Amino acid sequence: MAPADNDDRRPRYLIESVDHAARLLLLLEHQRELRVTDAAREIGIAASTTHRLLTTLQYRGLIAQDRMTKSYRAGPKLVEIGVRNTSSIDLRQASEPHLKELAGQLGLTVNLVTLQGGSVRFIAGFESNQQVRTHVLTGTLLPAYATSGGKVLLAELSREALRELYPRGLKKLTPRTKTFTQLVEELSLVMMRGFALNRGESEPSLVAVAVPLRDRAGRVIAAVASSAPAENAVKTSIREIVIELRKCAARIRADLFSVTG
C-alpha cells in the first residue's frame, strides 16, 4: 500500500494532485505492476482521476503501460533516475568482486550495465585472461538496442515506451543491427527466456549474452553481460554462460541489498 499520511510532516499547503501522483509512484516500490482500479482503491481516489494521473506520468516517461495487459510499470525515466542517483556506486561496489570471479571462471569479459535513456552505461567490468578477448568498456555509452544487456533492460518496457526512446528508429551500427520491428519481436523472446543475445549487432566480430539483475520488487535495475570475439565464443555454450551469469546476478543482488538495507 502507499504510505499513509504523516500529519507531523504534512505541508500546510499540500497540492493534492501532486500528492496523489507521488503516491502512485510509491506503489511501485512494492508492486511490479499497477492496474487502474487497484491503484485507485489503494490511493482512495476515483478510477477516472487515477487514469488521468497515470497517463500523465506515462507521458513524462515515469511509468509505462503494457500494451497487452494495460497495466502500468516503472518507466524508463523513473528507472534511469533511480539507478543514476542512488544505485550506481552501490551496484559497482557490490558487483565488482563477483564480475572479476566470473571473468576468470568463464574466460570471457564480463560487464554490468544500466539503462540511461536509450543507451546503456557500462558501470563495471573485468576482462578475461585469455589472449583473444573483448575489452572492458566501463563508463562507455552504447545504444541499448544493439547490446545484450540493453535488450534485457528494454524488454521490461512497452512498445510505446520504446518508440519514445527511439522516435527516429534504430541507427545501424553493423549490418546485423535490428530494425525497430525486429527489436520488438526479439524483446518478447527475451522476456520469455530471461536472457538476451548480441550476435555482431554492436560490433561485427562480437558475441555477447546478458541476464537481468532485479531489485527487491522484481524490477530490472541492471544487466550482467559477458562478451567474447565471435571466433572465441563457441568454447562455452550459451546455456552454460547463462547459468553462470544468473548465479553471478544472484550473488550481486544478495550483496547489494545486504549493504543498502
Side-chain angles (χ1 to χ4, degrees):
M1 293 184 63
D5 289 339
N6 186 331
D7 291 336
D8 293 336
R9 296 188 301 170
R10 183 183 176 91
R12 183 176 179 182
Y13 301 108
L14 182 76
I15 302 174
E16 285 197 348
S17 60
V18 176
D19 185 49
H20 292 328
R23 293 178 68 195
L24 286 171
L25 291 176
L26 289 171
L27 287 175
L28 291 170
E29 184 178 2
H30 303 290
Q31 302 176 35
R32 187 175 179 182
E33 295 183 333
L34 297 177
R35 293 185 178 276
V36 173
T37 53
D38 295 336
R41 185 172 57 251
E42 291 271 5
I43 300 299
I45 58 178
S48 58
T49 302
T50 302
H51 182 259
R52 289 196 297 272
L53 289 170
L54 288 170
T55 54
T56 301
L57 293 170
Q58 180 185 7
Y59 170 68
R60 291 300 180 185
L62 294 171
I63 62 173
Q65 186 180 40
D66 187 283
R67 187 163 54 93
M68 300 299 292
T69 67
K70 303 302 182 183
S71 59
Y72 293 88
R73 62 180 65 180
K77 290 297 182 183
L78 188 62
V79 173
E80 180 183 338
I81 290 169
V83 170
R84 290 180 67 185
N85 288 289
T86 63
S87 300
S88 292
I89 295 175
D90 291 336
L91 277 169
R92 179 177 295 174
Q93 291 176 342
S95 68
E96 283 186 338
H98 303 296
L99 297 176
K100 184 176 182 180
E101 179 182 355
L102 185 60
Q105 177 185 341
L106 292 178
L108 304 172
T109 297
V110 180
N111 290 288
L112 187 77
V113 302
T114 58
L115 192 64
Q116 188 169 329
S119 302
V120 286
R121 174 79 68 183
F122 288 71
I123 65 171
F126 290 89
E127 294 182 3
S128 73
N129 56 8
Q130 302 296 314
Q131 287 187 334
V132 181
R133 61 183 184 267
T134 56
H135 296 293
V136 167
L137 299 172
T138 301
T140 301
L141 273 175
L142 287 178
Y145 59 80
T147 68
S148 60
K151 291 177 190 177
V152 165
L153 294 159
L154 294 176
E156 294 285 302
L157 306 181
S158 67
R159 186 186 183 107
E160 290 74 18
L162 289 170
R163 181 63 74 184
E164 290 176 10
L165 287 178
Y166 308 112
R168 299 180 181 178
L170 311 183
K171 180 181 178 181
K172 282 276 187 183
L173 302 183
T174 78
R176 292 190 175 185
T177 304
K178 299 289 193 299
T179 64
F180 184 83
T181 300
Q182 290 172 331
L183 175 68
V184 171
E185 292 174 352
E186 184 178 4
L187 293 182
S188 296
L189 183 60
V190 171
M191 281 288 286
M192 181 179 68
R193 66 189 182 186
F195 68 90
L197 294 170
N198 166 14
R199 298 184 183 275
E201 295 165 53
S202 56
E203 295 181 22
S205 62
L206 181 140
V207 174
V209 59
V211 303
L213 172 63
R214 299 182 184 274
D215 65 11
R216 289 191 185 95
R219 294 179 293 255
V220 178
I221 57 172
V224 184
S226 68
S227 62
E231 67 271 20
N232 205 42
V234 295
K235 294 183 179 180
T236 307
S237 72
I238 295 298
R239 180 177 177 275
E240 291 175 297
I241 294 172
V242 168
I243 289 172
E244 295 307 321
L245 286 173
R246 285 174 174 162
K247 290 179 181 177
C248 182
R251 290 192 292 267
I252 294 171
R253 187 175 187 270
D255 281 1
L256 178 66
F257 293 114
S258 67
V259 169
T260 61

